Amino acid sequence: MHSTIDQSSLSSSSFEAPVLVRMEGVNKYFGTHHVLTDVDLDITAGEVLVVIGPSGSGKSTLCRTINRLEPISSGRILLDGVELPQEGKRLARLRAEVGMVFQSFNLFSHMTILQNVMLGPTKVLGIGKKEAEATARRLLDRVGVGNQAEKMPAQLSGGQQQRAAIARALAMKPKVLLFDEPTSALDPEMVNEVLEVMKELAETGMTMVVVTHEMAFAKSAANRVIFMDAGRIVEEAEPHEFFANPQTERAKDFLSKVLH
């Protein structure tokens, strides 16, 4: 697999990776429920950030605010130095630069896998059908479902559908890829095939934000782990440091439950 960004160079002191996503004082309410509280977060280019925490801690909401699938109540979110607008064509353009992979695949059931992957590039990016098809086939091969291109989503396993959904997100040439619990709807034996594709992506230098319960993935693929509780970022560290030596009682309690 060709590497676009040398991960080793990202951590060297001579090269400071640019901040790709910046969240400043982000708050989000659902009615009176305060779901995100004063979130400040920088995500650098080429970083794999894994977001963990108990159910209801705000992980998925955090992920969904980065491409404004969830509008925020206050604060600012910048993508590559540009503040995300509230709505309109500028938002659609910026949103095209932020890929999203959902729990439930969200493939269009009336289209083949190939058509699903071609749709965004042709309709949003204005790429010609021939080029879009060539790119789609290459990406489907890359995630291991090239031989399923002409099938409908319902003919594929959950793991294959999720890999096709990753190919669809990649077809938009995003600057950052968001994964909202991408394996939680899968049967256990299909989880690893999706995580393997995500690990390979991480190795190419793709900037990724991954909300997940898969601690083994967090340990092996993340550059940084953030732990959320009650809408706040409670702790953040490199994976080795976080799992070996959590700093807060809340994180210690959470890890004692999920790791045993």
Side-chain angles (χ1 to χ4, degrees):
M1 190 156 285
H2 300 295
S3 182
T4 49
I5 296 178
D6 178 7
Q7 286 286 349
S8 63
S9 70
L10 288 178
S11 57
S12 76
S13 55
S14 60
F15 174 71
E16 197 65 43
V19 173
L20 197 54
V21 177
R22 172 163 284 168
M23 304 179 80
E24 297 177 348
V26 170
N27 285 273
K28 168 69 182 174
Y29 290 87
F30 287 123
T32 57
H33 183 40
H34 203 169
V35 192
L36 295 177
T37 304
D38 299 329
V39 171
D40 292 310
L41 181 64
D42 281 356
I43 302 161
T44 53
E47 179 175 26
V48 179
L49 178 75
V50 170
V51 186
I52 64 173
S55 294
S57 59
K59 307 183 300 290
S60 288
T61 305
L62 174 90
C63 190
R64 292 165 70 88
T65 60
I66 294 174
N67 66 349
R68 280 230 191 274
L69 273 178
E70 287 294 353
I72 59 176
S73 304
S74 64
R76 295 201 314 159
I77 300 176
L78 295 93
L79 177 65
D80 218 358
V82 179
E83 186 168 356
L84 288 184
Q86 295 287 350
E87 55 195 19
K89 282 189 175 161
R90 277 184 59 236
L91 175 60
R93 269 203 302 275
L94 271 172
R95 196 179 268 163
E97 298 179 347
V98 184
M100 182 103 187
V101 179
F102 300 89
Q103 288 183 36
S104 51
F105 327 134
N106 286 23
L107 296 167
F108 290 109
S109 59
H110 64 289
M111 293 181 172
T112 66
I113 294 303
L114 181 65
Q115 289 168 336
N116 265 280
V117 180
M118 288 174 60
L119 184 66
T122 51
K123 290 277 189 272
V124 180
L125 303 181
I127 290 170
K129 282 223 162 106
K130 202 170 177 182
E131 185 189 338
E133 180 175 345
T135 301
R137 288 189 184 279
R138 179 175 56 77
L139 289 169
L140 288 168
D141 282 340
R142 182 176 165 186
V143 299
V145 291
N147 57 348
Q148 311 289 334
E150 313 302 337
K151 291 185 178 174
M152 307 301 271
Q155 295 174 280
L156 272 61
S157 72
Q160 289 170 326
Q161 288 188 61
Q162 192 60 295
R163 286 185 281 156
I166 293 171
R168 178 184 59 181
L170 288 171
M172 296 296 287
K173 304 187 176 96
K175 289 179 178 176
V176 58
L177 207 44
L178 311 174
F179 293 85
D180 185 11
E181 303 203 14
T183 58
S184 63
L186 299 177
D187 292 334
E189 69 268 22
M190 294 173 190
V191 168
N192 278 344
E193 65 189 55
V194 172
L195 293 179
E196 281 306 313
V197 169
M198 291 168 62
K199 278 182 196 162
E200 286 173 16
L201 267 183
E203 284 161 14
T204 68
M206 169 61 75
T207 309
M208 295 162 61
V209 179
V210 184
V211 175
T212 186
H213 293 290
E214 299 293 336
M215 297 301 143
F217 176 83
K219 285 179 181 177
S220 63
N223 301 107
R224 183 165 50 128
V225 173
I226 65 172
F227 173 72
M228 292 190 70
D229 187 42
R232 295 179 186 272
I233 296 173
V234 177
E235 201 167 320
E236 60 180 287
E238 290 182 3
H240 168 75
E241 181 63 24
F242 177 76
F243 287 104
N245 188 24
Q247 297 297 300
T248 60
E249 287 306 317
R250 192 68 192 89
K252 284 175 192 167
D253 180 52
F254 176 78
L255 288 175
S256 73
K257 292 190 173 100
V258 297
L259 294 178
H260 301 301

